[in-house]
Protein backbone atom coordinates (compact mmCIF):
# COMPACT_ATOMS: atom_id res chain seq x y z
CA UNK A 1 0.00 0.00 0.00
CA UNK A 2 1.30 3.48 -0.88
CA UNK A 3 2.24 5.19 2.40
CA UNK A 4 1.68 8.66 0.99
CA UNK A 5 -1.79 7.75 -0.25
CA UNK A 6 -2.66 6.24 3.11
CA UNK A 7 -1.80 9.54 4.80
CA UNK A 8 -4.17 11.54 2.61
CA UNK A 9 -7.29 12.61 4.59
CA UNK A 10 -10.58 10.99 3.75
CA UNK A 11 -13.41 13.33 2.72
CA UNK A 12 -14.86 15.00 5.78
CA UNK A 13 -12.08 13.95 8.19
CA UNK A 14 -10.66 17.45 8.40
CA UNK A 15 -13.93 19.28 7.88
CA UNK A 16 -14.02 22.55 9.80
CA UNK A 17 -16.00 22.56 13.02
CA UNK A 18 -17.53 25.42 14.97
CA UNK A 19 -14.88 27.13 17.07
CA UNK A 20 -15.52 28.48 20.55
CA UNK A 21 -15.60 32.27 20.65
CA UNK A 22 -13.62 34.18 23.28
CA UNK A 23 -14.38 37.51 24.97
CA UNK A 24 -11.34 39.02 26.71
CA UNK A 25 -12.39 41.61 29.28
CA UNK A 26 -10.09 44.40 30.45
CA UNK A 27 -11.47 46.14 33.58
CA UNK A 28 -10.12 49.67 33.99
CA UNK A 29 -10.33 52.48 36.54
CA UNK A 30 -8.47 55.72 35.79
CA UNK A 31 -6.08 54.00 33.36
CA UNK A 32 -5.69 56.69 30.71
CA UNK A 33 -1.92 56.09 30.60
CA UNK A 34 -1.98 52.29 30.25
CA UNK A 35 -5.17 51.61 28.28
CA UNK A 36 -4.18 52.52 24.67
CA UNK A 37 -0.93 50.55 24.75
CA UNK A 38 -2.66 47.56 26.33
CA UNK A 39 -5.50 47.32 23.82
CA UNK A 40 -3.35 47.91 20.74
CA UNK A 41 -0.73 45.38 21.90
CA UNK A 42 -3.37 42.78 22.68
CA UNK A 43 -5.23 43.35 19.39
CA UNK A 44 -1.99 42.97 17.38
CA UNK A 45 -1.19 39.77 19.22
CA UNK A 46 -4.64 38.29 18.55
CA UNK A 47 -4.68 39.36 14.91
CA UNK A 48 -1.28 37.73 14.36
CA UNK A 49 -2.69 34.24 14.67
CA UNK A 50 -4.97 33.59 17.64
CA UNK A 51 -6.88 30.54 16.36
CA UNK A 52 -10.30 31.26 17.90
CA UNK A 53 -12.88 33.97 17.15
CA UNK A 54 -12.31 36.79 19.63
CA UNK A 55 -13.26 40.22 20.81
CA UNK A 56 -11.83 42.61 23.42
CA UNK A 57 -14.20 44.24 25.89
CA UNK A 58 -13.04 47.31 27.81
CA UNK A 59 -15.09 47.87 30.98
CA UNK A 60 -14.65 51.30 32.54
CA UNK A 61 -16.08 51.16 36.04
CA UNK A 62 -16.19 54.67 37.42
CA UNK A 63 -13.14 56.43 35.95
CA UNK A 64 -12.85 60.17 36.50
CA UNK A 65 -9.99 60.83 34.05
CA UNK A 66 -9.88 60.39 30.25
CA UNK A 67 -10.18 56.59 30.38
CA UNK A 68 -13.74 56.43 29.02
CA UNK A 69 -13.16 58.74 26.02
CA UNK A 70 -10.06 56.71 25.20
CA UNK A 71 -12.03 53.46 25.48
CA UNK A 72 -14.73 54.66 23.08
CA UNK A 73 -12.08 55.94 20.66
CA UNK A 74 -10.31 52.57 20.67
CA UNK A 75 -13.61 50.77 20.10
CA UNK A 76 -14.29 52.99 17.09
CA UNK A 77 -10.75 52.63 15.74
CA UNK A 78 -10.08 48.91 16.13
CA UNK A 79 -12.28 46.05 14.87
CA UNK A 80 -13.38 43.48 17.46
CA UNK A 81 -12.95 45.99 20.30
CA UNK A 82 -16.01 46.85 22.39
CA UNK A 83 -16.37 49.33 25.26
CA UNK A 84 -18.93 49.67 28.05
CA UNK A 85 -19.15 51.85 31.14
CA UNK A 86 -20.35 51.14 34.69
CA UNK A 87 -20.92 53.80 37.28
CA UNK A 88 -19.82 51.55 40.15
CA UNK A 89 -16.24 50.71 41.00
CA UNK A 90 -14.55 47.38 41.58
CA UNK A 91 -12.87 44.83 39.36
CA UNK A 92 -15.34 42.19 40.48
CA UNK A 93 -18.31 44.33 39.49
CA UNK A 94 -16.78 44.95 36.06
CA UNK A 95 -16.13 41.26 35.42
CA UNK A 96 -19.54 40.17 36.67
CA UNK A 97 -21.33 42.60 34.36
CA UNK A 98 -19.21 41.78 31.31
CA UNK A 99 -19.26 38.02 31.77
CA UNK A 100 -23.00 37.89 32.42
CA UNK A 101 -23.81 39.76 29.19
CA UNK A 102 -21.09 38.39 26.91
CA UNK A 103 -22.24 36.50 23.78
CA UNK A 104 -19.02 34.44 23.75
CA UNK A 105 -18.60 30.77 24.66
CA UNK A 106 -15.50 31.51 26.72
CA UNK A 107 -15.08 34.60 28.88
CA UNK A 108 -11.65 35.72 30.04
CA UNK A 109 -9.92 38.70 31.55
CA UNK A 110 -6.49 40.18 32.01
CA UNK A 111 -5.11 43.23 33.79
CA UNK A 112 -4.53 46.40 31.82
CA UNK A 113 -0.82 46.47 32.72
CA UNK A 114 -0.24 43.24 30.72
CA UNK A 115 1.98 41.91 33.51
CA UNK A 116 1.31 38.37 32.30
CA UNK A 117 3.05 37.29 29.12
CA UNK A 118 0.53 36.89 26.29
CA UNK A 119 2.10 33.63 25.19
CA UNK A 120 0.07 31.92 27.92
CA UNK A 121 -3.27 33.19 26.59
CA UNK A 122 -4.06 30.36 24.18
CA UNK A 123 -3.05 27.58 26.65
CA UNK A 124 -5.32 29.31 29.17
CA UNK A 125 -8.30 29.55 26.83
CA UNK A 126 -7.77 26.14 25.22
CA UNK A 127 -8.27 24.34 28.54
CA UNK A 128 -11.87 25.55 28.75
CA UNK A 129 -12.66 25.93 25.05
CA UNK A 130 -11.96 22.24 24.53
CA UNK A 131 -14.28 21.22 27.36
CA UNK A 132 -11.60 19.75 29.63
CA UNK A 133 -12.08 22.28 32.43
CA UNK A 134 -14.66 24.85 33.43
CA UNK A 135 -12.19 27.49 34.66
CA UNK A 136 -8.53 28.15 33.83
CA UNK A 137 -6.21 30.42 35.82
CA UNK A 138 -2.72 31.72 35.37
CA UNK A 139 -0.38 30.92 38.24
CA UNK A 140 2.81 32.62 39.33
CA UNK A 141 3.52 30.07 42.06
CA UNK A 142 3.47 26.68 40.29
CA UNK A 143 6.60 24.99 38.90
CA UNK A 144 7.46 26.44 35.52
CA UNK A 145 6.24 29.96 36.30
CA UNK A 146 8.70 32.86 36.15
CA UNK A 147 8.03 36.07 38.05
CA UNK A 148 9.71 39.37 38.81
CA UNK A 149 8.13 41.32 41.66
CA UNK A 150 8.90 43.01 44.96
CA UNK A 151 9.67 41.04 48.11
CA UNK A 152 6.60 42.43 49.89
CA UNK A 153 4.20 41.24 47.20
CA UNK A 154 5.96 37.88 47.02
CA UNK A 155 5.63 37.28 50.76
CA UNK A 156 2.00 38.44 50.92
CA UNK A 157 1.03 36.37 47.88
CA UNK A 158 2.64 33.18 49.10
CA UNK A 159 1.25 33.58 52.60
CA UNK A 160 -2.27 34.26 51.33
CA UNK A 161 -2.30 31.29 48.96
CA UNK A 162 -0.84 29.04 51.66
CA UNK A 163 -3.76 30.04 53.87
CA UNK A 164 -6.17 29.03 51.11
CA UNK A 165 -4.50 25.67 50.56
CA UNK A 166 -4.24 24.66 54.20
CA UNK A 167 -7.38 26.36 55.49
CA UNK A 168 -9.79 25.58 52.64
CA UNK A 169 -7.99 22.64 51.04
CA UNK A 170 -7.99 24.22 47.58
CA UNK A 171 -6.08 22.63 44.73
CA UNK A 172 -5.12 25.80 42.82
CA UNK A 173 -1.90 27.59 43.78
CA UNK A 174 -2.52 31.25 42.86
CA UNK A 175 -5.93 32.83 43.44
CA UNK A 176 -5.16 36.46 42.60
CA UNK A 177 -3.30 36.35 39.28
CA UNK A 178 -5.15 38.70 36.91
CA UNK A 179 -5.28 36.18 34.08
CA UNK A 180 -8.29 33.87 33.97
CA UNK A 181 -10.76 32.23 31.59
CA UNK A 182 -14.01 30.33 32.10
CA UNK A 183 -16.71 28.55 30.17
CA UNK A 184 -19.53 31.07 30.09
CA UNK A 185 -22.38 28.67 30.79
CA UNK A 186 -20.53 27.14 33.75
CA UNK A 187 -19.40 30.36 35.43
CA UNK A 188 -22.64 32.35 35.25
CA UNK A 189 -24.45 30.40 38.01
CA UNK A 190 -21.43 31.07 40.24
CA UNK A 191 -21.45 34.80 39.52
CA UNK A 192 -24.84 35.11 41.20
CA UNK A 193 -23.33 33.72 44.40
CA UNK A 194 -20.16 35.84 44.44
CA UNK A 195 -20.70 38.67 46.91
CA UNK A 196 -17.51 40.69 46.40
CA UNK A 197 -17.22 43.49 43.83
CA UNK A 198 -13.53 44.23 44.30
CA UNK A 199 -10.21 42.33 44.43
CA UNK A 200 -11.53 39.36 46.44
CA UNK A 201 -13.81 38.49 43.51
CA UNK A 202 -11.20 36.11 42.02
CA UNK A 203 -10.68 34.15 45.22
CA UNK A 204 -14.39 33.86 45.96
CA UNK A 205 -15.13 32.67 42.44
CA UNK A 206 -12.48 29.95 42.61
CA UNK A 207 -13.53 28.81 46.08
CA UNK A 208 -17.14 28.48 44.93
CA UNK A 209 -16.04 26.70 41.74
CA UNK A 210 -14.12 23.99 43.60
CA UNK A 211 -16.83 23.78 46.28
CA UNK A 212 -19.35 22.96 43.53
CA UNK A 213 -17.15 20.38 41.85
CA UNK A 214 -15.90 22.38 38.86
CA UNK A 215 -12.49 21.65 37.44
CA UNK A 216 -9.91 24.46 37.70
CA UNK A 217 -6.95 24.21 35.33
CA UNK A 218 -3.69 26.06 36.03
CA UNK A 219 -1.27 27.50 33.48
CA UNK A 220 2.20 28.58 34.73
CA UNK A 221 2.89 32.09 33.44
CA UNK A 222 5.69 34.61 33.07
CA UNK A 223 4.75 37.66 35.14
CA UNK A 224 6.43 41.03 35.72
CA UNK A 225 5.16 43.47 38.34
CA UNK A 226 4.06 46.90 37.09
CA UNK A 227 5.21 49.69 39.42
CA UNK A 228 2.09 51.71 38.50
CA UNK A 229 -0.29 49.00 39.76
CA UNK A 230 -3.51 50.16 41.46
CA UNK A 231 -3.37 47.29 43.96
CA UNK A 232 -2.92 48.38 47.59
CA UNK A 233 -1.33 45.25 49.02
CA UNK A 234 -2.01 45.69 52.76
CA UNK A 235 -5.56 46.97 52.38
CA UNK A 236 -6.36 44.24 49.85
CA UNK A 237 -4.96 41.58 52.19
CA UNK A 238 -7.21 42.75 55.05
CA UNK A 239 -10.26 42.79 52.77
CA UNK A 240 -9.36 39.31 51.55
CA UNK A 241 -9.25 37.94 55.11
CA UNK A 242 -12.70 39.37 55.77
CA UNK A 243 -13.91 37.81 52.55
CA UNK A 244 -12.51 34.41 53.50
CA UNK A 245 -14.42 34.47 56.78
CA UNK A 246 -17.63 35.34 54.93
CA UNK A 247 -17.15 32.57 52.34
CA UNK A 248 -16.34 30.03 55.07
CA UNK A 249 -19.62 30.87 56.78
CA UNK A 250 -21.53 30.63 53.49
CA UNK A 251 -20.05 27.22 52.73
CA UNK A 252 -20.59 25.96 56.25
CA UNK A 253 -24.28 26.88 56.13
CA UNK A 254 -24.79 25.23 52.74
CA UNK A 255 -25.63 28.44 50.88
CA UNK A 256 -22.69 28.18 48.47
CA UNK A 257 -24.18 25.36 46.42
CA UNK A 258 -25.33 26.16 42.88
CA UNK A 259 -26.64 24.15 39.96
CA UNK A 260 -23.94 23.90 37.32
CA UNK A 261 -23.97 21.97 34.07
CA UNK A 262 -21.18 19.44 34.09
CA UNK A 263 -21.16 16.08 32.36
CA UNK A 264 -20.43 13.07 34.54
CA UNK A 265 -17.38 11.00 33.50
CA UNK A 266 -18.31 8.02 31.36
CA UNK A 267 -16.26 5.35 29.56
CA UNK A 268 -15.56 5.95 25.88
CA UNK A 269 -15.40 2.24 25.02
CA UNK A 270 -18.89 0.74 24.48
CA UNK A 271 -17.86 -2.58 26.07
CA UNK A 272 -16.04 -1.16 29.10
CA UNK A 273 -16.37 -3.13 32.35
CA UNK A 274 -16.83 -0.69 35.22
CA UNK A 275 -15.45 -1.25 38.73
CA UNK A 276 -16.73 0.08 42.03
CA UNK A 277 -15.03 3.33 43.11
CA UNK A 278 -13.01 3.30 46.32
CA UNK A 279 -13.83 5.59 49.20
CA UNK A 280 -11.94 8.85 49.57
CA UNK A 281 -9.16 8.28 52.10
CA UNK A 282 -7.30 11.56 51.49
CA UNK A 283 -8.40 12.92 54.87
CA UNK A 284 -6.87 9.92 56.64
CA UNK A 285 -3.63 10.23 54.65
CA UNK A 286 -3.50 13.91 55.63
CA UNK A 287 -3.42 12.89 59.31
CA UNK A 288 -0.16 10.91 58.94
CA UNK A 289 2.10 13.97 59.51
CA UNK A 290 -0.08 14.93 62.49
CA UNK A 291 0.38 11.52 64.10
CA UNK A 292 4.12 11.75 63.49
CA UNK A 293 4.20 15.24 65.00
CA UNK A 294 2.31 14.17 68.14
CA UNK A 295 4.45 11.06 68.73
CA UNK A 296 7.69 12.96 68.14
CA UNK A 297 6.53 15.66 70.55
CA UNK A 298 5.81 13.05 73.20
CA UNK A 299 9.36 11.68 72.87
CA UNK A 300 11.30 14.95 72.64
CA UNK A 301 9.40 16.71 75.42
CA UNK A 302 11.50 14.91 78.04
CA UNK A 303 14.58 16.84 76.89
CA UNK A 304 13.36 20.26 75.69
CA UNK A 305 10.94 23.06 76.47
CA UNK A 306 7.47 23.05 74.83
CA UNK A 307 8.39 25.62 72.16
CA UNK A 308 11.67 23.90 71.20
CA UNK A 309 10.07 20.46 71.32
CA UNK A 310 7.30 21.61 69.00
CA UNK A 311 9.85 22.95 66.52
CA UNK A 312 11.81 19.71 66.43
CA UNK A 313 8.71 17.55 66.19
CA UNK A 314 7.36 19.69 63.36
CA UNK A 315 10.60 19.23 61.42
CA UNK A 316 10.04 15.48 61.54
CA UNK A 317 6.39 15.89 60.53
CA UNK A 318 7.39 18.14 57.61
CA UNK A 319 9.84 15.50 56.42
CA UNK A 320 7.09 12.89 56.47
CA UNK A 321 4.74 15.26 54.63
CA UNK A 322 7.23 15.86 51.81
CA UNK A 323 8.07 12.17 51.40
CA UNK A 324 4.46 10.91 51.49
CA UNK A 325 2.92 13.61 49.27
CA UNK A 326 3.56 14.51 45.66
CA UNK A 327 6.91 16.00 44.78
CA UNK A 328 5.54 19.54 44.31
CA UNK A 329 4.61 19.61 48.02
CA UNK A 330 8.18 20.59 48.75
CA UNK A 331 7.58 24.03 47.25
CA UNK A 332 4.80 24.70 49.78
CA UNK A 333 6.55 23.29 52.88
CA UNK A 334 7.87 26.63 54.18
CA UNK A 335 4.46 28.30 54.29
CA UNK A 336 2.79 25.18 55.67
CA UNK A 337 5.54 24.82 58.28
CA UNK A 338 5.11 28.39 59.52
CA UNK A 339 1.33 28.10 59.71
CA UNK A 340 1.37 24.75 61.56
CA UNK A 341 4.10 25.89 63.93
CA UNK A 342 2.08 28.96 64.92
CA UNK A 343 -1.11 26.97 65.46
CA UNK A 344 0.43 24.03 67.32
CA UNK A 345 2.63 26.23 69.50
CA UNK A 346 -0.42 28.23 70.55
CA UNK A 347 -2.22 24.96 71.34
CA UNK A 348 0.72 23.62 73.37
CA UNK A 349 1.16 26.79 75.39
CA UNK A 350 -2.58 26.92 76.00
CA UNK A 351 -2.66 23.61 77.90
CA UNK A 352 -3.41 24.56 81.54
CA UNK A 353 -1.62 21.71 83.32
CA UNK A 354 1.29 21.23 80.94
CA UNK A 355 3.25 18.03 80.53
CA UNK A 356 4.20 15.80 77.62
CA UNK A 357 0.95 13.84 77.31
CA UNK A 358 -1.59 16.70 77.38
CA UNK A 359 0.63 18.88 75.18
CA UNK A 360 1.03 16.06 72.66
CA UNK A 361 -2.73 15.67 72.74
CA UNK A 362 -3.13 19.36 71.98
CA UNK A 363 -0.92 18.92 68.91
CA UNK A 364 -3.01 15.97 67.73
CA UNK A 365 -6.23 17.90 68.38
CA UNK A 366 -4.96 20.80 66.23
CA UNK A 367 -4.35 18.50 63.27
CA UNK A 368 -7.75 16.88 63.74
CA UNK A 369 -9.40 20.30 63.79
CA UNK A 370 -7.64 21.32 60.56
CA UNK A 371 -8.63 18.01 58.94
CA UNK A 372 -12.24 18.58 60.04
CA UNK A 373 -12.27 22.07 58.55
CA UNK A 374 -10.93 20.78 55.26
CA UNK A 375 -13.55 18.03 55.22
CA UNK A 376 -16.35 20.52 55.89
CA UNK A 377 -15.26 22.72 53.00
CA UNK A 378 -14.71 19.85 50.54
CA UNK A 379 -17.45 17.36 51.44
CA UNK A 380 -19.87 18.63 48.77
CA UNK A 381 -17.40 18.57 45.90
CA UNK A 382 -18.38 16.31 43.04
Amino acid sequence: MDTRAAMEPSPGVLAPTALASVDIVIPVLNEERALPGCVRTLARFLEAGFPLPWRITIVDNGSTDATWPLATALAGELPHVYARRLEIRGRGAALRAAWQDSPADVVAYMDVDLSTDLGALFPLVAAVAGGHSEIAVGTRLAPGARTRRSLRREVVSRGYNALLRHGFGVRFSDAQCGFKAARADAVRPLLRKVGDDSWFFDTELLLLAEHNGLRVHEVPVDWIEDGDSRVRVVRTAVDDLKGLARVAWTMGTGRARVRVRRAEPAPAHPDAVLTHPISDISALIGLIPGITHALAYLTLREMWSPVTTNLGALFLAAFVSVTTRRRSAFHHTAARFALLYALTTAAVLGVPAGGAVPESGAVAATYCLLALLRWVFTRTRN
Side-chain angles (χ1 to χ4, degrees):
M1 182 178 181
D2 183 20
T3 303
R4 182 172 299 176
M7 295 297 291
E8 290 295 325
S10 301
V13 170
L14 297 180
T17 57
L19 298 177
S21 55
V22 183
D23 190 0
I24 304 167
V25 177
I26 303 174
V28 288
L29 172 65
N30 295 332
E31 295 285 1
E32 61 181 4
R33 182 193 67 83
L35 181 60
C38 166
V39 174
R40 290 195 174 98
T41 299
L42 178 58
R44 284 196 300 268
F45 173 83
L46 295 170
E47 289 169 351
F50 193 75
L52 299 177
W54 57 270
R55 85 171 187 181
I56 300 171
T57 299
I58 307 167
V59 183
D60 177 10
N61 55 323
S63 294
T64 57
D65 61 0
T67 297
W68 176 239
L70 285 171
T72 56
L74 289 166
E77 170 191 344
L78 300 173
H80 310 299
V81 175
Y82 171 72
R84 64 177 295 179
R85 180 174 172 84
L86 301 177
E87 295 303 327
I88 57 175
R89 295 191 174 190
R91 182 174 71 177
L95 293 178
R96 181 186 292 106
W99 285 2
Q100 286 281 22
D101 299 338
S102 176
D105 303 304
V106 175
V107 288
Y109 95 90
M110 63 179 61
D111 290 334
V112 70
D113 56 15
L114 296 183
S115 292
T116 305
D117 182 72
L118 293 177
L121 180 58
F122 182 66
L124 184 86
V125 170
V128 294
H132 174 269
S133 303
E134 287 75 37
I135 297 178
V137 299
T139 174
R140 299 159 293 186
L141 301 177
R146 297 182 295 181
T147 63
R148 190 171 72 193
R149 58 179 169 179
S150 64
L151 177 62
R152 182 178 68 162
R153 290 196 67 169
E154 182 75 10
V155 170
V156 171
S157 177
R158 289 189 177 274
Y160 178 67
N161 284 287
L163 178 61
L164 291 176
R165 285 194 304 276
H166 304 307
F168 285 78
V170 301
R171 301 181 183 95
F172 52 84
S173 62
D174 190 356
Q176 292 286 40
C177 182
F179 197 69
K180 293 180 173 66
R183 212 180 69 210
D185 62 340
V187 78
R188 282 174 181 144
L190 297 177
L191 294 177
R192 292 190 287 270
K193 289 285 185 177
V194 176
D196 190 80
D197 284 337
S198 191
W199 299 103
F200 185 67
F201 174 90
D202 296 58
T203 300
E204 188 169 358
L205 179 67
L206 294 179
L207 288 174
L208 292 178
E210 283 206 349
H211 184 71
N212 285 280
L214 299 186
R215 182 176 291 169
V216 178
H217 177 77
E218 287 197 312
V219 177
V221 298
D222 296 341
W223 191 88
I224 299 176
E225 180 179 357
D226 185 354
D228 191 35
S229 173
R230 297 292 188 268
V231 180
R232 299 297 177 258
V233 177
V234 176
R235 178 179 176 181
T236 300
V238 173
D239 291 340
D240 287 347
L241 292 176
K242 294 178 181 177
L244 289 177
R246 176 175 54 79
V247 172
W249 175 258
T250 302
M251 289 181 176
T253 55
R255 291 181 294 173
R257 293 293 292 164
V258 298
R259 289 183 175 272
V260 291
R261 293 197 303 170
R262 186 188 183 206
E264 292 296 326
H269 197 288
D271 301 320
V273 179
L274 302 182
T275 59
H276 296 289
I278 62 172
S279 300
D280 185 10
I281 60 171
S282 59
L284 296 178
I285 295 176
L287 288 177
I288 293 176
I291 296 172
T292 305
H293 189 170
L295 293 176
Y297 187 97
L298 193 62
T299 303
L300 298 175
R301 182 64 176 87
E302 298 178 0
M303 299 180 293
W304 298 333
S305 67
V307 174
T308 306
T309 299
N310 193 40
L311 183 62
L314 189 54
F315 269 117
L316 292 175
F319 176 77
V320 170
S321 179
V322 170
T323 54
T324 58
R325 292 168 179 257
R326 62 186 184 275
R327 191 175 181 182
S328 61
F330 177 80
H331 299 281
H332 309 312
T333 298
R336 181 181 178 84
F337 187 95
L339 180 63
L340 286 175
Y341 182 66
L343 293 175
T344 53
T345 299
V348 165
L349 296 179
V351 175
V357 175
E359 291 170 4
S360 178
V363 169
T366 302
Y367 276 89
C368 289
L369 178 60
L370 291 174
L372 177 62
L373 289 174
R374 290 189 63 167
W375 179 81
V376 168
F377 293 128
T378 60
R379 62 190 171 90
T380 56
R381 285 178 181 162
N382 296 330

